[in-house]
Amino acid sequence: MEDGIQAIFVRMSNVKKPRRNFILTLFAVLMVFQGKATFLNMERYSLASEKRYCRWSRRNFDFVKLNAELFMQTFPNNDECVAAIDASFINKPGKQQRKLAGITMVVPEPHNVALKSL
């Protein structure tokens, strides 16, 4: 796993070495961790402190790009592929519009189904 993520980080040139080390530590802890993933609980399973998890989690990281690169690494051929994310746990705002990756998602109230608009 670590080699694959390292290869992706090489393509993500804006991710510096300290951030790479933190993300790798985070993924390694989440692979062996059971239970509620609090900073204190993650500290018990790694060499990183609770304070380090707290500080680094405040910084933005482009997980969408990481997922896209991981997807392209897993499926390198040019065949058509579809990736889906189940975000059913996110509260829907009703009639409000949300912007996601340049596409406006309209959530109509009666149907509760997200529709793609242009």
Side-chain angles (χ1 to χ4, degrees), residues 11-66:
R11 291 193 298 271
M12 295 175 68
S13 60
N14 61 335
V15 181
K16 304 298 181 216
K17 188 174 181 179
R19 185 67 172 173
R20 291 178 187 185
N21 291 339
F22 172 72
I23 295 295
L24 288 172
T25 302
L26 178 66
F27 288 162
V29 168
L30 292 176
M31 293 293 282
V32 298
F33 185 76
Q34 289 184 341
K36 192 170 183 178
T38 64
F39 297 145
L40 180 62
N41 286 340
M42 288 190 288
E43 177 186 27
R44 294 178 184 150
Y45 291 90
S46 72
L47 298 175
S49 68
E50 177 185 12
K51 188 181 282 188
R52 181 178 184 205
Y53 284 113
C54 183
R55 287 179 179 165
W56 279 100
S57 66
R58 290 183 195 148
R59 299 182 184 191
N60 291 335
F61 183 75
D62 194 2
F63 282 104
V64 173
K65 183 169 182 167
L66 177 71

